[in-house]
Amino acid sequence: MSAPPTIDTVKELGRRYSNWGRWGESDELGTLNHLTPENVVEAAGLVRTGRIVAMGLPIDDAGPQSGAGALGRFNPIHLMIRDGADVAAGTMIRDFYGGDDRHLRGTDDVLIMPLQSGTQWDALAHIFFEGKMYNGYGPDQVSSKGALKNDITGGCDRMIGRGVLLDVPAARGVPWLEPGYAITSEDLEECERRQGVAAGQGDFVLVRTGQMAQVRDRGSWGDYAGGPAPGLGLDAVPWVADREIAALATDTWGMEVRPNETPDTNQPLHIIFLVHMGLWVGEIFDLEPLALACAEEQRWEFLFSGPPLRISRAVGSPLTPVAVF
Amino acid sequence: MSAPPTIDTVKELGRRYSNWGRWGESDELGTLNHLTPENVVEAAGLVRTGRIVAMGLPIDDAGPQSGAGALGRFNPIHLMIRDGADVAAGTMIRDFYGGDDRHLRGTDDVLIMPLQSGTQWDALAHIFFEGKMYNGYGPDQVSSKGALKNDITGGCDRMIGRGVLLDVPAARGVPWLEPGYAITSEDLEECERRQGVAAGQGDFVLVRTGQMAQVRDRGSWGDYAGGPAPGLGLDAVPWVADREIAALATDTWGMEVRPNETPDTNQPLHIIFLVHMGLWVGEIFDLEPLALACAEEQRWEFLFSGPPLRISRAVGSPLTPVAVF
Amino acid sequence: MSAPPTIDTVKELGRRYSNWGRWGESDELGTLNHLTPENVVEAAGLVRTGRIVAMGLPIDDAGPQSGAGALGRFNPIHLMIRDGADVAAGTMIRDFYGGDDRHLRGTDDVLIMPLQSGTQWDALAHIFFEGKMYNGYGPDQVSSKGALKNDITGGCDRMIGRGVLLDVPAARGVPWLEPGYAITSEDLEECERRQGVAAGQGDFVLVRTGQMAQVRDRGSWGDYAGGPAPGLGLDAVPWVADREIAALATDTWGMEVRPNETPDTNQPLHIIFLVHMGLWVGEIFDLEPLALACAEEQRWEFLFSGPPLRISRAVGSPLTPVAVF
Amino acid sequence: MSAPPTIDTVKELGRRYSNWGRWGESDELGTLNHLTPENVVEAAGLVRTGRIVAMGLPIDDAGPQSGAGALGRFNPIHLMIRDGADVAAGTMIRDFYGGDDRHLRGTDDVLIMPLQSGTQWDALAHIFFEGKMYNGYGPDQVSSKGALKNDITGGCDRMIGRGVLLDVPAARGVPWLEPGYAITSEDLEECERRQGVAAGQGDFVLVRTGQMAQVRDRGSWGDYAGGPAPGLGLDAVPWVADREIAALATDTWGMEVRPNETPDTNQPLHIIFLVHMGLWVGEIFDLEPLALACAEEQRWEFLFSGPPLRISRAVGSPLTPVAVF
């Protein structure tokens, strides 16, 4: 029996697949550079039935976060500034229109949310390793004022392309992968064979673990946020790197298998993917409706559209990713 | 000289173009019903160069809102939960990882924002008239807990289709329309003629007034939020209704001309469009880069993608709309 | 065995002890009217050793709220705007002082909190019964813009007086009252006898149930917020009303016994106290250090100071109540 | 004409009046150590008429902050979770009580506020100089998670004592001091002579500049937040230090004169007072009603009560300070 992987394994994979400098010293886009206008045109060509499937989880207080915790992530808080009850009670004119009734009544609301509390893109500024984030930028580039480098806004006009769903539990004949299952390169290739699709350069690859099906089956989030989970393992790193994909997203809290394979290192794939490769990573995508649609359409490629919000200096963003068949 | 239009004009237009019941008594989608899968397929066919243009304004404290005001809309507040400075100061392990250094360092952030403070879709639950919102739902359907009917989530998987930019100032040979300019049906038709494009059923129509160019020219938002503005006038209502478009968005705070043409009625087109027609309305879209791209590409139609966030019970949502050429 | 009390019991007690109109039709102060300047002077005379005891629970994410829940109360969220790590990382000058180093470095923070999530005063606008709050004001007086009548600010310059702790578990020889225990008038009188103190006109009466001792003993809040709890019962109403006290506070989430004695009515004492009597009610006061101090000082009366924050239109407020011996 | 003071002046004054180590190496209370139980007893003895005056500014969106700005301070945002309009509209039972009408109706609200946006105490963790805060603690003691040392909670049970108002404009026969006026030791002594009161050990000294009277006179906050202001000058430092007061508060945004007397140093008194002396500083106290009351009572000493909220790790706190005559 071999020793478990360590931070040295992580460093070696990081070095091997590093994209620092690949697109210039001032690059902040990382693997989104793999996406070309030709990719976009080809992706649009995949639209044949006009079916649209959204992958965004509801943004509300029934979300997956279990509490403030050390990381400080809580479920979104939605509050009304003014509402229909004010219309019914006759208070709107007095309190919101200065007593002047000009026939209109309106409603407004406010949202308070950690940007990584639900369906989300990580910005490349989300992860540091040895004091550096993607392309070598230092920690002083992300102060209390937010990220000067590698913030989320770089993705706003580059998140349209070919989407590919790799449905791992379907390939393995199970409803979902169990927590702790580490997805391998071979798993991903088996999905490709079974589904008759090959992920490649500039693609948005969505890897389904089925953990949300499990959550729904048991009727509660449980320790979905931060607890044991299926997800990509170290063995999948070469596959992800070699395919030159634009971005990768899964249906779990943290994309990679938990407990992590590296006893000494937390979230090793985040270090390799975000810091070294500059890979854009999506999390908590709801891939259940998409998996159903793919099975019905009998194809696992589609036009993907998923720009983040253009939040200045943000290190993450909620979004509503959509697949168009 | 004729008398100015009044609430009676608004009511008459509302009656004439009402879509209540058109798609069933329980409909909450309104004009998004005009969008068909065929529209989506055709729209994807417009993608030829792969150029992507985003229309989302930066979401930050330099936004267009001028203060809390009666409506309570303020600019977004972005705060870091943990950041790179904590990495540099060596405080992250102690304060966020329980003292256990497992090599990873992460950053997180929180956003507090009125959902209609920037680039946004109005939900159909945003406007009431005579105690009703679209399709006859009453004010008790939008309490302090949010909207039970007509909330924003209906748009999540229906906001992909053909986009058409109508560049009114370009058609009139000016850099921007002046505040108070009421766009007419003839203006819109002139844009169509000049641009060689016709808006039609299921389209996402983006009407540029150029007000953001004016804001940038003078270097400040001024009274952009709620002050005088160019925008659609009552004369444009038949055009908008007859074309059976899916949604309409502009680059101003309130879509319609301000001061309103109706001295006795605030935002009359909101009453006609949102309440009676069930038309999805977008506001504060940044159409400047899009206008430039259209002129360069010499075409004013494209694939539009702009789903709102799936915020449960919300009456509006920020988004990053994108056009793909 | 007699039938349990019902809403009729509540209504009868409400009628009997109603203070509507007692201090004028426009009164918004309720029982704070019982407090006279003479009471304040006498209360100051109780200060003999200068010992100060604070009763405010820490305001942070380890608070008693268990989640957003139907009432939408969550634990306070504290975020830094800028901090010492920015000083250490050298990012403060760049990001917060416009690049101009004038030697000073500062830190700032933001708090997001439901006003009744911890140690708090209820405003008289907090409770409605049969469409009315204290003194007959209607529900239109508390819109989405907040309370026009009976808001919290009335208490700002009237919350200094004689404090009296009634330590019920001490009188009963137990460390804490068990959940479901309904405190009676006789219990309160027994405390007075045992402690050699009598609560009277204008007093701030603090009733200890010991539930926080129980929470600390078991090491978790459990269902402290909204679950079973000891607290005042219907039997205590005459005592509370007859003594003409200024305000009443306890160490539990909801002041009164839970499950409530009235199967058909939620929080009946809130209806009687806040709506009919206009009694100011404090909740989640940490009375453990105070009980210890009283026992050590062998007196259960002291100067009480506990003004709410002056939050315009608020229906509750956090505070740091203090006792001075 | 002599050269203006510089950072060297600030350093010299800091060295001379430093209290680092005076109360032990682990002290976090600074000048609150000057307050003794005897002070508290004597202060209570000042209560003779029972008149209570509150000094807290309304906490709402009409506050003094002019915008997010570089420091990120905005006016408080108050939102209702549920309100009387929900009672009137009949939506409360459905949306907040799970459809179960048990007679009670309640309201709730949320506050979002920068802790130094209104009437406030600065914690000693608010200011750093040369990488240190009071008593030599380093910047790593205030991370994105808040202050481990010198946070606001130390004040919770030590903010009761003798209050002394020094009404500088009254002593000078003007309604208010003009912006830029630097209060001297002689000014403070003149107030004492005129008012027949002497500030001393353990006192809470409130220095009125009258700037709020000026604000009210002109009807707008203008540049009150951060702009030119009257306030304490460097000349007043020896007076403040020698009197061994417990805390100092003024009615301006920043306590000290602005523009600062030191062209090279921002807020020099913050460096001397908070960092070197460990002096608790209050800002934006509304001293107008207090000045009126003092003149009417013809005494300028009273019982002061002003504990901060017990916000864990906070670097500031709102409060409602009160004076009792």
Side-chain angles (χ1 to χ4, degrees):
Chain A
M1 179 182 155
S2 63
T6 67
I7 186 61
D8 291 329
T9 322
V10 176
K11 286 182 184 178
E12 171 52 27
L13 285 166
R15 266 192 300 272
R16 192 180 312 160
Y17 297 111
S18 170
N19 285 324
W20 291 17
R22 178 172 179 172
W23 297 288
E25 292 200 352
S26 60
D27 182 59
E28 303 180 44
L29 298 177
T31 55
L32 288 179
N33 284 293
H34 288 309
L35 180 74
T36 66
E38 293 71 34
N39 292 148
V40 178
V41 175
E42 286 166 25
L46 297 170
V47 176
R48 287 171 226 155
T49 64
R51 179 176 186 169
I52 303 172
V53 179
M55 293 169 248
L57 209 63
I59 295 176
D60 58 32
D61 60 10
Q65 304 302 323
S66 56
L71 296 187
R73 293 186 194 152
F74 49 89
N75 283 317
I77 298 164
H78 180 235
L79 294 164
M80 300 303 294
I81 296 176
R82 51 185 184 138
D83 53 56
D86 296 297
V87 175
T91 54
M92 186 169 286
I93 294 301
R94 181 193 67 198
D95 289 349
F96 293 94
Y97 291 113
D100 184 21
D101 186 353
R102 298 180 67 232
H103 299 291
L104 186 82
R105 304 289 186 275
T107 63
D108 264 293
D109 42 8
V110 164
L111 190 68
I112 305 169
M113 76 179 294
L115 293 171
Q116 307 200 16
S117 56
T119 305
Q120 102 216 219
W121 284 122
D122 291 352
L124 296 182
H126 174 50
I127 300 293
F128 281 89
F129 175 64
E130 295 185 333
K132 300 289 183 185
M133 55 176 166
Y134 168 68
N135 220 12
Y137 298 115
D140 63 310
Q141 297 302 300
V142 188
S143 78
S144 288
K145 199 78 175 182
L148 289 177
K149 295 290 181 186
N150 289 341
D151 82 358
I152 200 72
T153 64
C156 290
D157 55 4
R158 285 173 187 84
M159 286 292 194
I160 305 270
R162 181 196 187 219
V164 172
L165 176 72
L166 298 179
D167 189 339
V168 187
R172 297 180 58 83
V174 293
W176 54 74
L177 304 179
E178 291 299 329
Y181 185 89
I183 297 169
T184 63
S185 287
E186 170 54 27
D187 283 328
L188 299 174
E189 286 163 5
E190 175 58 25
C191 286
E192 293 180 308
R193 281 191 295 270
R194 178 181 169 275
Q195 300 174 183
V197 69
Q201 178 250 318
D203 283 351
F204 293 81
V205 174
L206 312 173
V207 177
R208 177 177 177 259
T209 71
Q211 197 185 14
M212 273 197 207
Q214 188 182 29
V215 162
R216 283 164 191 158
D217 183 69
R218 75 166 171 251
S220 86
W221 286 107
D223 59 359
Y224 174 89
L232 275 75
L234 288 160
D235 182 81
V237 170
W239 185 96
V240 171
D242 292 342
R243 296 305 174 99
E244 302 200 326
I245 64 177
L248 172 76
T250 74
D251 50 4
T252 67
W253 173 82
M255 182 265 295
E256 49 185 305
V257 64
R258 291 176 68 87
N260 300 130
E261 298 160 291
T262 44
D264 66 347
T265 305
N266 191 24
Q267 300 289 79
L269 268 62
H270 274 68
I271 294 173
I272 300 165
F273 286 172
L274 280 98
V275 178
H276 292 102
M277 287 174 52
L279 178 69
W280 287 67
V281 170
E283 288 157 342
I284 319 185
F285 279 43
D286 185 357
L287 301 179
E288 295 308 302
L290 180 62
L292 182 65
C294 285
E296 289 176 356
E297 301 273 340
Q298 277 297 299
R299 57 190 176 108
W300 285 262
E301 58 177 356
F302 39 80
L303 174 65
F304 172 87
S305 176
L309 293 182
R310 194 175 166 193
I311 309 167
S312 303
R313 296 185 161 204
V315 300
S317 175
L319 75 154
T320 297
V322 291
V324 193
F325 289 87
Chain B
M1 180 184 155
S2 63
T6 68
I7 186 61
D8 291 329
T9 322
V10 176
K11 286 182 183 177
E12 170 53 26
L13 286 165
R15 266 192 300 272
R16 192 179 312 160
Y17 297 110
S18 171
N19 285 324
W20 291 17
R22 179 172 179 172
W23 297 288
E25 290 199 354
S26 61
D27 182 58
E28 303 179 44
L29 298 178
T31 55
L32 288 179
N33 285 293
H34 287 310
L35 180 75
T36 65
E38 293 71 34
N39 293 148
V40 177
V41 175
E42 286 167 26
L46 296 171
V47 176
R48 288 173 225 153
T49 63
R51 179 177 186 168
I52 303 172
V53 179
M55 293 168 250
L57 210 62
I59 295 176
D60 58 31
D61 61 9
Q65 304 302 323
S66 55
L71 297 186
R73 293 187 194 150
F74 50 89
N75 283 318
I77 298 164
H78 179 234
L79 295 164
M80 299 303 294
I81 295 176
R82 52 186 183 137
D83 53 57
D86 296 298
V87 175
T91 54
M92 186 169 286
I93 294 301
R94 182 193 67 196
D95 289 350
F96 293 93
Y97 291 113
D100 183 21
D101 186 354
R102 298 180 67 233
H103 298 293
L104 186 81
R105 304 288 187 275
T107 63
D108 264 294
D109 41 9
V110 164
L111 189 69
I112 306 169
M113 76 179 295
L115 293 171
Q116 308 200 14
S117 56
T119 305
Q120 102 217 220
W121 285 121
D122 290 352
L124 296 182
H126 174 49
I127 300 293
F128 282 88
F129 175 64
E130 293 184 335
K132 300 288 183 187
M133 55 176 166
Y134 168 69
N135 221 12
Y137 299 115
D140 63 308
Q141 297 302 301
V142 188
S143 78
S144 289
K145 199 76 173 182
L148 289 176
K149 295 288 180 186
N150 290 342
D151 82 358
I152 200 71
T153 64
C156 290
D157 56 4
R158 286 172 187 84
M159 287 293 195
I160 305 270
R162 181 196 187 219
V164 172
L165 175 73
L166 297 179
D167 190 338
V168 187
R172 296 182 57 84
V174 293
W176 55 74
L177 304 179
E178 291 299 330
Y181 184 88
I183 296 169
T184 64
S185 286
E186 171 54 28
D187 282 329
L188 299 174
E189 287 164 4
E190 175 58 25
C191 285
E192 293 180 308
R193 279 191 296 270
R194 179 180 170 276
Q195 299 174 184
V197 69
Q201 178 250 320
D203 283 352
F204 293 82
V205 174
L206 312 173
V207 178
R208 177 176 177 258
T209 72
Q211 198 186 14
M212 272 197 207
Q214 188 183 28
V215 162
R216 285 164 189 156
D217 182 69
R218 74 165 172 252
S220 86
W221 286 106
D223 58 0
Y224 174 89
L232 274 75
L234 288 161
D235 182 81
V237 170
W239 186 96
V240 170
D242 292 342
R243 297 302 175 101
E244 301 199 327
I245 64 177
L248 173 75
T250 73
D251 51 4
T252 67
W253 172 84
M255 182 264 296
E256 49 185 305
V257 63
R258 289 177 67 91
N260 300 130
E261 297 162 291
T262 45
D264 66 349
T265 306
N266 190 24
Q267 299 290 78
L269 267 63
H270 274 69
I271 295 173
I272 300 165
F273 285 171
L274 280 99
V275 178
H276 292 102
M277 288 173 50
L279 178 69
W280 288 66
V281 170
E283 289 158 341
I284 318 186
F285 279 44
D286 185 357
L287 301 179
E288 295 308 302
L290 180 62
L292 182 65
C294 286
E296 288 175 356
E297 302 273 340
Q298 276 298 298
R299 59 191 175 107
W300 285 262
E301 58 177 358
F302 38 80
L303 175 66
F304 172 87
S305 177
L309 292 182
R310 194 175 167 192
I311 309 167
S312 303
R313 296 184 160 203
V315 300
S317 175
L319 75 153
T320 298
V322 291
V324 192
F325 288 87
Chain C
M1 179 183 154
S2 63
T6 67
I7 185 62
D8 292 328
T9 322
V10 176
K11 286 183 183 177
E12 171 53 25
L13 285 165
R15 264 192 301 272
R16 191 178 313 160
Y17 297 110
S18 171
N19 286 323
W20 291 16
R22 178 172 181 171
W23 297 289
E25 291 200 352
S26 61
D27 181 60
E28 302 180 44
L29 298 178
T31 55
L32 289 180
N33 285 293
H34 287 311
L35 180 75
T36 65
E38 292 71 34
N39 293 148
V40 177
V41 174
E42 285 166 26
L46 296 170
V47 176
R48 288 173 227 155
T49 63
R51 179 176 184 168
I52 303 171
V53 179
M55 293 168 248
L57 210 63
I59 296 176
D60 58 32
D61 60 9
Q65 305 301 323
S66 56
L71 297 187
R73 293 188 195 150
F74 50 87
N75 283 317
I77 299 164
H78 179 234
L79 295 164
M80 299 304 294
I81 296 176
R82 53 187 183 135
D83 54 55
D86 296 297
V87 174
T91 54
M92 185 169 286
I93 294 301
R94 181 194 68 197
D95 289 350
F96 293 93
Y97 292 113
D100 183 21
D101 186 353
R102 297 180 67 233
H103 298 291
L104 186 82
R105 304 289 187 273
T107 63
D108 264 294
D109 40 9
V110 165
L111 189 70
I112 306 169
M113 76 179 294
L115 293 172
Q116 307 199 15
S117 56
T119 305
Q120 100 217 220
W121 284 122
D122 290 353
L124 297 182
H126 174 50
I127 300 292
F128 282 89
F129 175 64
E130 293 186 334
K132 300 288 182 187
M133 56 176 164
Y134 168 67
N135 221 10
Y137 298 116
D140 63 308
Q141 297 302 301
V142 188
S143 78
S144 289
K145 200 77 174 181
L148 289 177
K149 295 289 180 187
N150 290 341
D151 80 358
I152 199 73
T153 64
C156 290
D157 55 5
R158 286 172 187 84
M159 287 295 195
I160 305 271
R162 181 195 187 218
V164 172
L165 176 72
L166 297 180
D167 189 338
V168 187
R172 296 181 59 84
V174 294
W176 54 75
L177 305 178
E178 291 299 329
Y181 184 88
I183 295 169
T184 64
S185 287
E186 171 54 27
D187 283 330
L188 300 174
E189 286 163 6
E190 175 58 25
C191 286
E192 292 180 306
R193 279 191 296 271
R194 177 180 171 277
Q195 299 174 185
V197 69
Q201 178 248 319
D203 283 351
F204 293 81
V205 175
L206 312 172
V207 177
R208 177 175 177 258
T209 72
Q211 198 185 14
M212 272 196 208
Q214 188 182 30
V215 162
R216 284 164 191 157
D217 183 68
R218 76 166 171 252
S220 85
W221 286 107
D223 58 0
Y224 174 90
L232 274 76
L234 288 160
D235 183 80
V237 169
W239 186 96
V240 171
D242 292 341
R243 297 302 176 102
E244 302 202 323
I245 62 177
L248 173 75
T250 73
D251 51 3
T252 67
W253 173 81
M255 182 264 297
E256 48 186 308
V257 63
R258 290 176 67 88
N260 300 128
E261 298 161 292
T262 44
D264 66 348
T265 305
N266 190 23
Q267 300 290 79
L269 268 62
H270 274 69
I271 294 174
I272 299 166
F273 286 170
L274 281 98
V275 178
H276 292 102
M277 288 175 50
L279 178 69
W280 287 66
V281 170
E283 288 158 342
I284 318 185
F285 278 43
D286 184 357
L287 301 179
E288 296 309 303
L290 180 63
L292 182 65
C294 286
E296 289 175 355
E297 303 272 340
Q298 276 299 298
R299 56 189 177 109
W300 285 263
E301 59 177 356
F302 38 79
L303 174 67
F304 173 86
S305 176
L309 292 182
R310 194 174 166 194
I311 310 167
S312 303
R313 296 184 160 203
V315 301
S317 175
L319 76 153
T320 298
V322 291
V324 191
F325 289 87
Chain D
M1 181 183 152
S2 63
T6 68
I7 187 62
D8 291 328
T9 321
V10 175
K11 287 183 183 177
E12 170 52 26
L13 285 165
R15 266 192 300 271
R16 192 178 314 161
Y17 296 111
S18 171
N19 285 324
W20 290 18
R22 178 171 179 171
W23 297 288
E25 290 201 353
S26 62
D27 181 59
E28 302 180 44
L29 298 178
T31 54
L32 288 179
N33 285 293
H34 287 310
L35 180 74
T36 65
E38 293 71 33
N39 293 148
V40 177
V41 175
E42 285 165 26
L46 295 171
V47 176
R48 289 172 225 155
T49 63
R51 179 176 186 169
I52 303 172
V53 179
M55 293 169 248
L57 210 63
I59 295 176
D60 59 31
D61 61 8
Q65 305 301 324
S66 55
L71 296 186
R73 293 187 195 152
F74 50 88
N75 283 317
I77 298 164
H78 180 234
L79 294 165
M80 299 303 294
I81 296 176
R82 51 185 184 139
D83 53 57
D86 296 297
V87 175
T91 53
M92 186 169 286
I93 294 301
R94 181 192 68 198
D95 290 349
F96 292 93
Y97 292 113
D100 183 20
D101 186 354
R102 297 180 68 233
H103 300 291
L104 186 81
R105 305 288 187 274
T107 63
D108 265 294
D109 41 9
V110 164
L111 190 68
I112 306 169
M113 75 178 295
L115 292 171
Q116 308 200 13
S117 56
T119 305
Q120 101 217 220
W121 284 122
D122 291 353
L124 296 182
H126 174 49
I127 300 293
F128 281 89
F129 175 64
E130 293 185 334
K132 301 288 182 185
M133 54 177 165
Y134 168 69
N135 220 12
Y137 298 116
D140 63 309
Q141 296 302 301
V142 188
S143 79
S144 289
K145 200 76 174 182
L148 289 177
K149 295 289 181 186
N150 290 341
D151 81 358
I152 200 72
T153 65
C156 290
D157 55 5
R158 286 173 187 83
M159 286 294 194
I160 305 270
R162 180 195 187 220
V164 172
L165 175 72
L166 298 180
D167 189 338
V168 187
R172 297 181 58 83
V174 294
W176 56 73
L177 304 178
E178 291 299 329
Y181 184 88
I183 295 170
T184 63
S185 287
E186 170 55 26
D187 282 329
L188 299 175
E189 286 164 5
E190 175 58 25
C191 286
E192 292 180 306
R193 280 190 296 269
R194 178 181 169 275
Q195 299 175 184
V197 69
Q201 178 248 319
D203 283 350
F204 293 82
V205 175
L206 313 172
V207 177
R208 177 175 176 257
T209 72
Q211 197 185 15
M212 272 196 207
Q214 187 182 31
V215 162
R216 284 163 191 159
D217 182 69
R218 74 165 173 251
S220 87
W221 286 107
D223 58 359
Y224 174 90
L232 275 75
L234 288 161
D235 182 80
V237 170
W239 185 97
V240 170
D242 292 342
R243 297 302 176 101
E244 301 201 325
I245 63 177
L248 173 75
T250 73
D251 51 4
T252 67
W253 173 82
M255 182 266 295
E256 49 186 305
V257 63
R258 289 176 67 89
N260 301 130
E261 298 161 290
T262 44
D264 66 348
T265 306
N266 190 24
Q267 299 290 79
L269 267 62
H270 274 68
I271 295 174
I272 300 166
F273 285 171
L274 281 98
V275 177
H276 292 102
M277 288 174 51
L279 178 69
W280 288 66
V281 169
E283 288 157 342
I284 319 186
F285 279 43
D286 184 357
L287 301 180
E288 295 309 302
L290 180 61
L292 183 64
C294 286
E296 288 176 355
E297 303 272 341
Q298 277 298 300
R299 58 190 175 108
W300 284 263
E301 58 178 356
F302 39 79
L303 175 66
F304 173 87
S305 177
L309 292 181
R310 194 175 165 192
I311 310 167
S312 303
R313 295 186 161 202
V315 300
S317 175
L319 76 152
T320 298
V322 291
V324 192
F325 288 88

